[in-house]
Amino acid sequence: MPPLAWRTVLKALAGFAAGLAVYVLITPLYDSLIAAGAEKTLNAFENPNVTRLRRAPDGNVTVDRMDFDPRSQRPAIPLRDLTFNFVLLTALFAVSPRPFSDRNIGGFVIASVILALTHVLGAVVEVQSIYALKLGNWSQMHYSGFERNFWGAANHFYRLVLMYAIAFALWWVFRGPDAAPPLRHRRGRGKK
């Protein structure tokens, strides 16, 4: 295994810091956009459209349904828990030998757009998980045992595996060809 290059580590840390700064700066607007996209997606499968997702002042997104009792509490989702893999994606693209090349920046932009779409789907899964598992009798009346298991497992799988796997897969697919380290052939190795 090749030794870790300190220059690569420093570029990853710089990419992480830059990604974190951008993430913190745009989170309020980004969470509102993700909530709007998730709401539209959920409404496409509802008849009538009852789900409303709104960003609250505390930074969480409140889940509301028109058929909920007005006196009941509304569940909230911290979307930042579902979207922070953007910082990982930024760090991965930063380790490219030429991080500011047109190809690397273009790949990063495309990967970021696709990542945003997965964030909308992650929010949809989170809301469905709340509906299926966390609303007591209402959940049991409206979701079968299979549906409750499906949405619960999907939510856990997204949080534990897919969030990271998606970032790595997008980086792998959209990184430039110069991002792969060159193979070095050593003379005399393997010969006896």
Side-chain angles (χ1 to χ4, degrees), residues 59-131:
N60 293 329
V61 171
T62 303
V63 180
D64 192 10
R65 285 181 61 97
M66 304 300 276
D67 56 355
F68 280 172
D69 183 343
R71 298 166 294 173
S72 67
Q73 279 191 318
R74 303 300 191 251
I77 303 170
L79 279 185
R80 61 192 159 273
D81 290 354
L82 303 175
T83 61
F84 70 87
N85 57 355
F86 172 79
V87 178
L88 174 61
L89 185 71
T90 306
L92 289 169
F93 272 94
V95 299
S96 171
R98 295 178 32 217
F100 296 107
S101 70
D102 291 346
R103 185 165 189 142
N104 196 57
I105 299 244
F108 174 72
V109 169
I110 293 168
S112 295
V113 169
I114 295 170
L115 189 66
L117 295 175
T118 68
H119 291 159
V120 169
L121 295 178
V124 166
V125 169
E126 180 77 19
V127 171
Q128 286 292 346
S129 168
I130 289 170
Y131 288 171

Side-chain angles (χ1 to χ4, degrees), residues 5-28:
W6 284 107
R7 186 174 181 181
T8 302
V9 171
L10 291 175
K11 286 179 9 180
L13 287 174
F16 179 85
L20 185 61
V22 169
Y23 181 72
V24 168
L25 183 67
I26 67 167
T27 291

